Amino acid sequence: MNKEVFISNRKRLMERVEDNSLVILFAGNAPKKSADEAYPFTPNRNFYYLTGIDEEEHIITLRKKDNKVEEVLFIKKPDLEKEKWLGKTIRKNEAIEISGVDEVKYLEEFLPFVHSSIITNGITNIWLDLERDSFNEDATYTEKFAKKLMRKYPYVNIKCIYNYIAELRLVKSEEEVKEIRKAIRVTIDGVEMLMKHAKPGIKEYELEAYFDFVCKKEGAKDYAFKTIAAAGKNAAVLHYVANNSEINDGDLILFDLGAQVNYYNGDISRTIPANGKFEGRKKDVYNAVLRVNEKIIDAIKPGANWGKINEMANDLLAEEMIGLGLIKDKKDYRKYYWHSIGHSLGLDCHDVGPRWVDLKPGMIFTVEPGLYIEEEGIGVRIEDDVLVTEDGNEVLTKEMIKSVEEIENFMAK
Ligand code: GLY
Ligand code: MN
Ligand code: MN
């Protein structure tokens, strides 16, 4: 992406931060896997959102003093011996080219910079990304750093920048939408490849492999999440990822997957008949979910409230369940549908930001109603990615076929 995107992200963030502040974000490290092997590195998304840089250990600092902002990126000093094994790390001029920051220094200078910011430059607020998922989670690297700061400079205020960045990330810039469109394009190509090869007798992981092949071939570096390829009753487990069962004639196959391009994600679910024909009850259940998918998409426009849309989806699905004879009383709908209608999509598949918001142009939400009837071996989810526009919405996944007729025709070819 163009560096202007990251410059703008930093500018908009620093407009919200008070004077005498230093914002510090870490790119992070790949955790150890086993022996001398690490898990693949992926940058802290808030660091990436502000820099566009995706290498380990780097640190971005944004210092606001007398209402002027100084940006300094701290990078690893090149280690020429190590580079013979692992390849080159980013150079100062490259870091400026990618991120557009004012200045780049080496990591050795980071702690003295923090110290002088507090002692010489009168910084009284230090803002860190102190996101945590649960009370019991181990302390993150940033929390440990915060603790050190509190011990050494007990008069400094430690503040959490996470919500400010998350709120910015909720509304996508045009450039971000472009990246998501690319991820969706690869995802659709992958789904089509997988659908071409779907047939009774093969294993779920074989279908996953066709999707993986297209993602790799089209240059996607990663996936939005571990692919779900679930046949028959496996589809009643929302995040079934074992993908190791044989597909039977008559099964519906639910797949939920996404390619990731430049860290932006696509997220699509489709449900198809293994033998190419939606029949009887399965067709009825499929069409019930499809009606809800379409009605919810129609409700997406600026000013609509995501919480209300979620309630509308609950109600519509409950009505469909009554129509299908699954329940008698709407309040029992959780028996066959127990997630929410969707989520913001962006640099994270389940993207950050406040959840039950009033929709604004630039937000992207998934719409993913489902019905999961384990006792009948049926699980259906139909998921699209929808951009809120000035006058309504655009279905970014519109090229991914979804009607019974379209899917049957495609599979008959
Ligand atoms: N499989 C993740 C999602 O669709 O939200
Ligand atoms: Mn999904
Ligand atoms: Mn989703």
Side-chain angles (χ1 to χ4, degrees), residues 378-410:
I378 297 176
V380 175
R381 183 161 60 251
I382 306 173
E383 176 176 26
D384 286 296
D385 304 337
V386 183
L387 169 70
V388 184
T389 58
E390 293 292 338
D391 53 3
N393 71 64
E394 180 189 344
V395 181
L396 299 175
T397 44
K398 57 182 171 290
E399 285 168 31
M400 184 70 253
I401 56 171
K402 67 178 169 184
S403 73
V404 162
E405 198 187 356
E406 285 170 330
I407 292 173
E408 288 185 346
N409 287 345
F410 182 95

PDB file of all heavy atoms in Angstrom, residues 378-410:
ATOM      1  N   ILE A 378     -27.224 -31.849   8.889  1.00  0.00           N
ATOM      2  CA  ILE A 378     -27.250 -30.689   7.987  1.00  0.00           C
ATOM      3  C   ILE A 378     -26.671 -29.466   8.704  1.00  0.00           C
ATOM      4  O   ILE A 378     -27.082 -29.128   9.813  1.00  0.00           O
ATOM      5  CB  ILE A 378     -28.702 -30.342   7.561  1.00  0.00           C
ATOM      6  CG1 ILE A 378     -29.324 -31.499   6.775  1.00  0.00           C
ATOM      7  CG2 ILE A 378     -28.731 -29.051   6.735  1.00  0.00           C
ATOM      8  CD1 ILE A 378     -30.794 -31.267   6.404  1.00  0.00           C
ATOM      9  N   GLY A 379     -25.743 -28.800   8.046  1.00  0.00           N
ATOM     10  CA  GLY A 379     -25.257 -27.512   8.531  1.00  0.00           C
ATOM     11  C   GLY A 379     -25.118 -26.597   7.329  1.00  0.00           C
ATOM     12  O   GLY A 379     -24.493 -26.979   6.331  1.00  0.00           O
ATOM     13  N   VAL A 380     -25.757 -25.441   7.400  1.00  0.00           N
ATOM     14  CA  VAL A 380     -25.696 -24.495   6.282  1.00  0.00           C
ATOM     15  C   VAL A 380     -25.275 -23.129   6.821  1.00  0.00           C
ATOM     16  O   VAL A 380     -25.841 -22.642   7.796  1.00  0.00           O
ATOM     17  CB  VAL A 380     -27.080 -24.346   5.595  1.00  0.00           C
ATOM     18  CG1 VAL A 380     -27.029 -23.257   4.519  1.00  0.00           C
ATOM     19  CG2 VAL A 380     -27.534 -25.672   4.991  1.00  0.00           C
ATOM     20  N   ARG A 381     -24.292 -22.527   6.193  1.00  0.00           N
ATOM     21  CA  ARG A 381     -23.949 -21.124   6.476  1.00  0.00           C
ATOM     22  C   ARG A 381     -23.665 -20.474   5.132  1.00  0.00           C
ATOM     23  O   ARG A 381     -23.039 -21.093   4.263  1.00  0.00           O
ATOM     24  CB  ARG A 381     -22.740 -21.027   7.412  1.00  0.00           C
ATOM     25  CG  ARG A 381     -22.408 -19.597   7.792  1.00  0.00           C
ATOM     26  CD  ARG A 381     -21.527 -19.486   9.064  1.00  0.00           C
ATOM     27  NE  ARG A 381     -20.238 -20.127   8.991  1.00  0.00           N
ATOM     28  CZ  ARG A 381     -19.896 -21.235   9.651  1.00  0.00           C
ATOM     29  NH1 ARG A 381     -20.763 -21.852  10.436  1.00  0.00           N
ATOM     30  NH2 ARG A 381     -18.681 -21.748   9.529  1.00  0.00           N
ATOM     31  N   ILE A 382     -24.153 -19.263   4.955  1.00  0.00           N
ATOM     32  CA  ILE A 382     -23.904 -18.527   3.705  1.00  0.00           C
ATOM     33  C   ILE A 382     -23.386 -17.157   4.114  1.00  0.00           C
ATOM     34  O   ILE A 382     -24.106 -16.375   4.740  1.00  0.00           O
ATOM     35  CB  ILE A 382     -25.202 -18.397   2.869  1.00  0.00           C
ATOM     36  CG1 ILE A 382     -25.836 -19.780   2.636  1.00  0.00           C
ATOM     37  CG2 ILE A 382     -24.885 -17.705   1.539  1.00  0.00           C
ATOM     38  CD1 ILE A 382     -27.208 -19.731   1.967  1.00  0.00           C
ATOM     39  N   GLU A 383     -22.135 -16.881   3.765  1.00  0.00           N
ATOM     40  CA  GLU A 383     -21.468 -15.679   4.282  1.00  0.00           C
ATOM     41  C   GLU A 383     -20.948 -14.796   3.164  1.00  0.00           C
ATOM     42  O   GLU A 383     -20.203 -15.258   2.296  1.00  0.00           O
ATOM     43  CB  GLU A 383     -20.290 -16.101   5.173  1.00  0.00           C
ATOM     44  CG  GLU A 383     -19.463 -14.930   5.680  1.00  0.00           C
ATOM     45  CD  GLU A 383     -18.358 -15.356   6.648  1.00  0.00           C
ATOM     46  OE1 GLU A 383     -17.898 -16.515   6.560  1.00  0.00           O
ATOM     47  OE2 GLU A 383     -17.962 -14.526   7.476  1.00  0.00           O
ATOM     48  N   ASP A 384     -21.355 -13.531   3.220  1.00  0.00           N
ATOM     49  CA  ASP A 384     -20.840 -12.525   2.294  1.00  0.00           C
ATOM     50  C   ASP A 384     -20.158 -11.402   3.066  1.00  0.00           C
ATOM     51  O   ASP A 384     -20.401 -11.226   4.263  1.00  0.00           O
ATOM     52  CB  ASP A 384     -22.004 -11.947   1.468  1.00  0.00           C
ATOM     53  CG  ASP A 384     -22.480 -12.941   0.418  1.00  0.00           C
ATOM     54  OD1 ASP A 384     -21.676 -13.259  -0.472  1.00  0.00           O
ATOM     55  OD2 ASP A 384     -23.635 -13.414   0.509  1.00  0.00           O
ATOM     56  N   ASP A 385     -19.339 -10.628   2.348  1.00  0.00           N
ATOM     57  CA  ASP A 385     -18.641  -9.478   2.943  1.00  0.00           C
ATOM     58  C   ASP A 385     -19.229  -8.215   2.323  1.00  0.00           C
ATOM     59  O   ASP A 385     -19.246  -8.083   1.092  1.00  0.00           O
ATOM     60  CB  ASP A 385     -17.141  -9.554   2.644  1.00  0.00           C
ATOM     61  CG  ASP A 385     -16.529 -10.878   3.114  1.00  0.00           C
ATOM     62  OD1 ASP A 385     -17.113 -11.511   4.014  1.00  0.00           O
ATOM     63  OD2 ASP A 385     -15.472 -11.269   2.568  1.00  0.00           O
ATOM     64  N   VAL A 386     -19.699  -7.311   3.173  1.00  0.00           N
ATOM     65  CA  VAL A 386     -20.502  -6.190   2.688  1.00  0.00           C
ATOM     66  C   VAL A 386     -19.905  -4.854   3.131  1.00  0.00           C
ATOM     67  O   VAL A 386     -19.679  -4.630   4.324  1.00  0.00           O
ATOM     68  CB  VAL A 386     -21.959  -6.330   3.213  1.00  0.00           C
ATOM     69  CG1 VAL A 386     -22.837  -5.209   2.667  1.00  0.00           C
ATOM     70  CG2 VAL A 386     -22.546  -7.693   2.832  1.00  0.00           C
ATOM     71  N   LEU A 387     -19.679  -3.996   2.147  1.00  0.00           N
ATOM     72  CA  LEU A 387     -19.145  -2.648   2.417  1.00  0.00           C
ATOM     73  C   LEU A 387     -20.305  -1.678   2.556  1.00  0.00           C
ATOM     74  O   LEU A 387     -21.192  -1.631   1.694  1.00  0.00           O
ATOM     75  CB  LEU A 387     -18.247  -2.232   1.230  1.00  0.00           C
ATOM     76  CG  LEU A 387     -17.799  -0.772   1.159  1.00  0.00           C
ATOM     77  CD1 LEU A 387     -16.793  -0.446   2.269  1.00  0.00           C
ATOM     78  CD2 LEU A 387     -17.176  -0.470  -0.215  1.00  0.00           C
ATOM     79  N   VAL A 388     -20.298  -0.875   3.612  1.00  0.00           N
ATOM     80  CA  VAL A 388     -21.310   0.176   3.753  1.00  0.00           C
ATOM     81  C   VAL A 388     -20.872   1.341   2.859  1.00  0.00           C
ATOM     82  O   VAL A 388     -19.720   1.785   2.918  1.00  0.00           O
ATOM     83  CB  VAL A 388     -21.428   0.648   5.226  1.00  0.00           C
ATOM     84  CG1 VAL A 388     -22.548   1.682   5.368  1.00  0.00           C
ATOM     85  CG2 VAL A 388     -21.653  -0.539   6.160  1.00  0.00           C
ATOM     86  N   THR A 389     -21.786   1.792   1.995  1.00  0.00           N
ATOM     87  CA  THR A 389     -21.474   2.909   1.089  1.00  0.00           C
ATOM     88  C   THR A 389     -22.320   4.118   1.489  1.00  0.00           C
ATOM     89  O   THR A 389     -23.155   4.029   2.392  1.00  0.00           O
ATOM     90  CB  THR A 389     -21.791   2.518  -0.369  1.00  0.00           C
ATOM     91  OG1 THR A 389     -23.180   2.164  -0.449  1.00  0.00           O
ATOM     92  CG2 THR A 389     -20.957   1.340  -0.832  1.00  0.00           C
ATOM     93  N   GLU A 390     -22.115   5.244   0.796  1.00  0.00           N
ATOM     94  CA  GLU A 390     -22.867   6.468   1.124  1.00  0.00           C
ATOM     95  C   GLU A 390     -24.374   6.236   1.044  1.00  0.00           C
ATOM     96  O   GLU A 390     -25.141   6.786   1.826  1.00  0.00           O
ATOM     97  CB  GLU A 390     -22.496   7.599   0.146  1.00  0.00           C
ATOM     98  CG  GLU A 390     -21.056   8.101   0.277  1.00  0.00           C
ATOM     99  CD  GLU A 390     -20.793   8.828   1.592  1.00  0.00           C
ATOM    100  OE1 GLU A 390     -21.755   9.316   2.206  1.00  0.00           O
ATOM    101  OE2 GLU A 390     -19.610   8.861   2.006  1.00  0.00           O
ATOM    102  N   ASP A 391     -24.786   5.442   0.039  1.00  0.00           N
ATOM    103  CA  ASP A 391     -26.230   5.316  -0.153  1.00  0.00           C
ATOM    104  C   ASP A 391     -26.755   3.897   0.058  1.00  0.00           C
ATOM    105  O   ASP A 391     -27.833   3.557  -0.402  1.00  0.00           O
ATOM    106  CB  ASP A 391     -26.613   5.832  -1.555  1.00  0.00           C
ATOM    107  CG  ASP A 391     -25.769   5.157  -2.631  1.00  0.00           C
ATOM    108  OD1 ASP A 391     -24.965   4.283  -2.268  1.00  0.00           O
ATOM    109  OD2 ASP A 391     -25.919   5.501  -3.817  1.00  0.00           O
ATOM    110  N   GLY A 392     -26.018   3.052   0.726  1.00  0.00           N
ATOM    111  CA  GLY A 392     -26.515   1.691   0.984  1.00  0.00           C
ATOM    112  C   GLY A 392     -25.353   0.761   1.229  1.00  0.00           C
ATOM    113  O   GLY A 392     -24.598   0.943   2.181  1.00  0.00           O
ATOM    114  N   ASN A 393     -25.187  -0.197   0.326  1.00  0.00           N
ATOM    115  CA  ASN A 393     -24.058  -1.105   0.516  1.00  0.00           C
ATOM    116  C   ASN A 393     -23.609  -1.707  -0.808  1.00  0.00           C
ATOM    117  O   ASN A 393     -24.334  -1.636  -1.811  1.00  0.00           O
ATOM    118  CB  ASN A 393     -24.422  -2.225   1.502  1.00  0.00           C
ATOM    119  CG  ASN A 393     -25.406  -3.231   0.922  1.00  0.00           C
ATOM    120  OD1 ASN A 393     -25.097  -3.934  -0.042  1.00  0.00           O
ATOM    121  ND2 ASN A 393     -26.601  -3.294   1.482  1.00  0.00           N
ATOM    122  N   GLU A 394     -22.409  -2.258  -0.762  1.00  0.00           N
ATOM    123  CA  GLU A 394     -21.921  -3.028  -1.903  1.00  0.00           C
ATOM    124  C   GLU A 394     -21.499  -4.400  -1.381  1.00  0.00           C
ATOM    125  O   GLU A 394     -20.716  -4.493  -0.424  1.00  0.00           O
ATOM    126  CB  GLU A 394     -20.710  -2.322  -2.546  1.00  0.00           C
ATOM    127  CG  GLU A 394     -20.182  -3.109  -3.731  1.00  0.00           C
ATOM    128  CD  GLU A 394     -18.849  -2.569  -4.268  1.00  0.00           C
ATOM    129  OE1 GLU A 394     -18.459  -1.428  -3.957  1.00  0.00           O
ATOM    130  OE2 GLU A 394     -18.185  -3.358  -4.982  1.00  0.00           O
ATOM    131  N   VAL A 395     -22.015  -5.433  -2.017  1.00  0.00           N
ATOM    132  CA  VAL A 395     -21.616  -6.789  -1.608  1.00  0.00           C
ATOM    133  C   VAL A 395     -20.281  -7.086  -2.298  1.00  0.00           C
ATOM    134  O   VAL A 395     -20.229  -7.298  -3.514  1.00  0.00           O
ATOM    135  CB  VAL A 395     -22.696  -7.825  -1.988  1.00  0.00           C
ATOM    136  CG1 VAL A 395     -22.275  -9.225  -1.532  1.00  0.00           C
ATOM    137  CG2 VAL A 395     -24.031  -7.448  -1.361  1.00  0.00           C
ATOM    138  N   LEU A 396     -19.218  -7.085  -1.535  1.00  0.00           N
ATOM    139  CA  LEU A 396     -17.883  -7.263  -2.128  1.00  0.00           C
ATOM    140  C   LEU A 396     -17.707  -8.680  -2.670  1.00  0.00           C
ATOM    141  O   LEU A 396     -16.875  -8.918  -3.540  1.00  0.00           O
ATOM    142  CB  LEU A 396     -16.798  -6.964  -1.088  1.00  0.00           C
ATOM    143  CG  LEU A 396     -16.805  -5.530  -0.525  1.00  0.00           C
ATOM    144  CD1 LEU A 396     -15.773  -5.400   0.585  1.00  0.00           C
ATOM    145  CD2 LEU A 396     -16.541  -4.503  -1.625  1.00  0.00           C
ATOM    146  N   THR A 397     -18.513  -9.593  -2.144  1.00  0.00           N
ATOM    147  CA  THR A 397     -18.416 -10.997  -2.563  1.00  0.00           C
ATOM    148  C   THR A 397     -19.481 -11.350  -3.606  1.00  0.00           C
ATOM    149  O   THR A 397     -19.809 -12.528  -3.792  1.00  0.00           O
ATOM    150  CB  THR A 397     -18.586 -11.916  -1.334  1.00  0.00           C
ATOM    151  OG1 THR A 397     -19.680 -11.416  -0.562  1.00  0.00           O
ATOM    152  CG2 THR A 397     -17.359 -11.923  -0.458  1.00  0.00           C
ATOM    153  N   LYS A 398     -20.005 -10.312  -4.293  1.00  0.00           N
ATOM    154  CA  LYS A 398     -21.161 -10.571  -5.185  1.00  0.00           C
ATOM    155  C   LYS A 398     -20.830 -11.534  -6.315  1.00  0.00           C
ATOM    156  O   LYS A 398     -21.736 -12.170  -6.870  1.00  0.00           O
ATOM    157  CB  LYS A 398     -21.732  -9.265  -5.745  1.00  0.00           C
ATOM    158  CG  LYS A 398     -20.742  -8.398  -6.509  1.00  0.00           C
ATOM    159  CD  LYS A 398     -21.421  -7.112  -6.963  1.00  0.00           C
ATOM    160  CE  LYS A 398     -20.436  -6.112  -7.536  1.00  0.00           C
ATOM    161  NZ  LYS A 398     -19.514  -5.492  -6.535  1.00  0.00           N
ATOM    162  N   GLU A 399     -19.552 -11.643  -6.677  1.00  0.00           N
ATOM    163  CA  GLU A 399     -19.223 -12.566  -7.775  1.00  0.00           C
ATOM    164  C   GLU A 399     -19.178 -14.024  -7.334  1.00  0.00           C
ATOM    165  O   GLU A 399     -19.010 -14.917  -8.167  1.00  0.00           O
ATOM    166  CB  GLU A 399     -17.893 -12.151  -8.410  1.00  0.00           C
ATOM    167  CG  GLU A 399     -18.090 -10.923  -9.281  1.00  0.00           C
ATOM    168  CD  GLU A 399     -16.791 -10.289  -9.716  1.00  0.00           C
ATOM    169  OE1 GLU A 399     -15.800 -11.023  -9.884  1.00  0.00           O
ATOM    170  OE2 GLU A 399     -16.771  -9.055  -9.853  1.00  0.00           O
ATOM    171  N   MET A 400     -19.337 -14.258  -6.062  1.00  0.00           N
ATOM    172  CA  MET A 400     -19.354 -15.642  -5.564  1.00  0.00           C
ATOM    173  C   MET A 400     -20.791 -16.149  -5.611  1.00  0.00           C
ATOM    174  O   MET A 400     -21.650 -15.700  -4.872  1.00  0.00           O
ATOM    175  CB  MET A 400     -18.828 -15.642  -4.124  1.00  0.00           C
ATOM    176  CG  MET A 400     -18.695 -17.021  -3.504  1.00  0.00           C
ATOM    177  SD  MET A 400     -17.383 -17.998  -4.200  1.00  0.00           S
ATOM    178  CE  MET A 400     -18.260 -19.197  -5.180  1.00  0.00           C
ATOM    179  N   ILE A 401     -21.044 -17.098  -6.495  1.00  0.00           N
ATOM    180  CA  ILE A 401     -22.416 -17.570  -6.707  1.00  0.00           C
ATOM    181  C   ILE A 401     -23.010 -18.142  -5.427  1.00  0.00           C
ATOM    182  O   ILE A 401     -22.288 -18.677  -4.589  1.00  0.00           O
ATOM    183  CB  ILE A 401     -22.465 -18.643  -7.831  1.00  0.00           C
ATOM    184  CG1 ILE A 401     -21.525 -19.818  -7.505  1.00  0.00           C
ATOM    185  CG2 ILE A 401     -22.131 -18.025  -9.177  1.00  0.00           C
ATOM    186  CD1 ILE A 401     -21.695 -20.992  -8.465  1.00  0.00           C
ATOM    187  N   LYS A 402     -24.351 -18.027  -5.305  1.00  0.00           N
ATOM    188  CA  LYS A 402     -24.958 -18.580  -4.084  1.00  0.00           C
ATOM    189  C   LYS A 402     -26.372 -19.121  -4.235  1.00  0.00           C
ATOM    190  O   LYS A 402     -26.858 -19.779  -3.307  1.00  0.00           O
ATOM    191  CB  LYS A 402     -24.866 -17.585  -2.918  1.00  0.00           C
ATOM    192  CG  LYS A 402     -25.683 -16.319  -3.059  1.00  0.00           C
ATOM    193  CD  LYS A 402     -25.518 -15.452  -1.801  1.00  0.00           C
ATOM    194  CE  LYS A 402     -26.117 -14.075  -2.049  1.00  0.00           C
ATOM    195  NZ  LYS A 402     -25.924 -13.166  -0.936  1.00  0.00           N
ATOM    196  N   SER A 403     -27.074 -18.858  -5.346  1.00  0.00           N
ATOM    197  CA  SER A 403     -28.423 -19.432  -5.413  1.00  0.00           C
ATOM    198  C   SER A 403     -28.316 -20.934  -5.722  1.00  0.00           C
ATOM    199  O   SER A 403     -27.299 -21.402  -6.258  1.00  0.00           O
ATOM    200  CB  SER A 403     -29.262 -18.737  -6.491  1.00  0.00           C
ATOM    201  OG  SER A 403     -28.833 -19.136  -7.776  1.00  0.00           O
ATOM    202  N   VAL A 404     -29.390 -21.652  -5.416  1.00  0.00           N
ATOM    203  CA  VAL A 404     -29.431 -23.100  -5.689  1.00  0.00           C
ATOM    204  C   VAL A 404     -29.124 -23.347  -7.173  1.00  0.00           C
ATOM    205  O   VAL A 404     -28.300 -24.205  -7.525  1.00  0.00           O
ATOM    206  CB  VAL A 404     -30.817 -23.669  -5.296  1.00  0.00           C
ATOM    207  CG1 VAL A 404     -31.058 -25.022  -5.956  1.00  0.00           C
ATOM    208  CG2 VAL A 404     -30.912 -23.795  -3.787  1.00  0.00           C
ATOM    209  N   GLU A 405     -29.798 -22.575  -8.012  1.00  0.00           N
ATOM    210  CA  GLU A 405     -29.648 -22.774  -9.456  1.00  0.00           C
ATOM    211  C   GLU A 405     -28.203 -22.512  -9.909  1.00  0.00           C
ATOM    212  O   GLU A 405     -27.623 -23.314 -10.654  1.00  0.00           O
ATOM    213  CB  GLU A 405     -30.613 -21.818 -10.168  1.00  0.00           C
ATOM    214  CG  GLU A 405     -30.880 -22.207 -11.581  1.00  0.00           C
ATOM    215  CD  GLU A 405     -31.714 -21.141 -12.296  1.00  0.00           C
ATOM    216  OE1 GLU A 405     -32.133 -20.155 -11.659  1.00  0.00           O
ATOM    217  OE2 GLU A 405     -31.907 -21.311 -13.510  1.00  0.00           O
ATOM    218  N   GLU A 406     -27.635 -21.398  -9.437  1.00  0.00           N
ATOM    219  CA  GLU A 406     -26.252 -21.075  -9.834  1.00  0.00           C
ATOM    220  C   GLU A 406     -25.282 -22.178  -9.407  1.00  0.00           C
ATOM    221  O   GLU A 406     -24.403 -22.578 -10.179  1.00  0.00           O
ATOM    222  CB  GLU A 406     -25.812 -19.756  -9.173  1.00  0.00           C
ATOM    223  CG  GLU A 406     -26.403 -18.506  -9.782  1.00  0.00           C
ATOM    224  CD  GLU A 406     -26.131 -17.267  -8.931  1.00  0.00           C
ATOM    225  OE1 GLU A 406     -26.018 -17.365  -7.690  1.00  0.00           O
ATOM    226  OE2 GLU A 406     -26.041 -16.184  -9.511  1.00  0.00           O
ATOM    227  N   ILE A 407     -25.456 -22.647  -8.177  1.00  0.00           N
ATOM    228  CA  ILE A 407     -24.518 -23.672  -7.676  1.00  0.00           C
ATOM    229  C   ILE A 407     -24.704 -24.982  -8.445  1.00  0.00           C
ATOM    230  O   ILE A 407     -23.726 -25.619  -8.858  1.00  0.00           O
ATOM    231  CB  ILE A 407     -24.682 -23.856  -6.152  1.00  0.00           C
ATOM    232  CG1 ILE A 407     -24.206 -22.582  -5.434  1.00  0.00           C
ATOM    233  CG2 ILE A 407     -23.901 -25.077  -5.656  1.00  0.00           C
ATOM    234  CD1 ILE A 407     -24.467 -22.560  -3.938  1.00  0.00           C
ATOM    235  N   GLU A 408     -25.960 -25.366  -8.664  1.00  0.00           N
ATOM    236  CA  GLU A 408     -26.202 -26.629  -9.403  1.00  0.00           C
ATOM    237  C   GLU A 408     -25.666 -26.543 -10.824  1.00  0.00           C
ATOM    238  O   GLU A 408     -25.048 -27.497 -11.331  1.00  0.00           O
ATOM    239  CB  GLU A 408     -27.694 -26.963  -9.400  1.00  0.00           C
ATOM    240  CG  GLU A 408     -28.155 -27.417  -8.021  1.00  0.00           C
ATOM    241  CD  GLU A 408     -29.599 -27.884  -7.980  1.00  0.00           C
ATOM    242  OE1 GLU A 408     -30.365 -27.616  -8.953  1.00  0.00           O
ATOM    243  OE2 GLU A 408     -29.972 -28.506  -6.978  1.00  0.00           O
ATOM    244  N   ASN A 409     -25.886 -25.386 -11.466  1.00  0.00           N
ATOM    245  CA  ASN A 409     -25.362 -25.234 -12.844  1.00  0.00           C
ATOM    246  C   ASN A 409     -23.834 -25.296 -12.854  1.00  0.00           C
ATOM    247  O   ASN A 409     -23.239 -25.930 -13.731  1.00  0.00           O
ATOM    248  CB  ASN A 409     -25.820 -23.910 -13.453  1.00  0.00           C
ATOM    249  CG  ASN A 409     -27.286 -23.943 -13.810  1.00  0.00           C
ATOM    250  OD1 ASN A 409     -27.879 -25.024 -13.868  1.00  0.00           O
ATOM    251  ND2 ASN A 409     -27.894 -22.778 -14.019  1.00  0.00           N
ATOM    252  N   PHE A 410     -23.227 -24.622 -11.899  1.00  0.00           N
ATOM    253  CA  PHE A 410     -21.764 -24.614 -11.839  1.00  0.00           C
ATOM    254  C   PHE A 410     -21.228 -26.030 -11.674  1.00  0.00           C
ATOM    255  O   PHE A 410     -20.293 -26.446 -12.354  1.00  0.00           O
ATOM    256  CB  PHE A 410     -21.298 -23.731 -10.669  1.00  0.00           C
ATOM    257  CG  PHE A 410     -19.795 -23.611 -10.558  1.00  0.00           C
ATOM    258  CD1 PHE A 410     -19.134 -22.538 -11.136  1.00  0.00           C
ATOM    259  CD2 PHE A 410     -19.044 -24.570  -9.878  1.00  0.00           C
ATOM    260  CE1 PHE A 410     -17.751 -22.433 -11.048  1.00  0.00           C
ATOM    261  CE2 PHE A 410     -17.665 -24.467  -9.797  1.00  0.00           C
ATOM    262  CZ  PHE A 410     -17.017 -23.392 -10.372  1.00  0.00           C
TER     263      PHE A 410
END
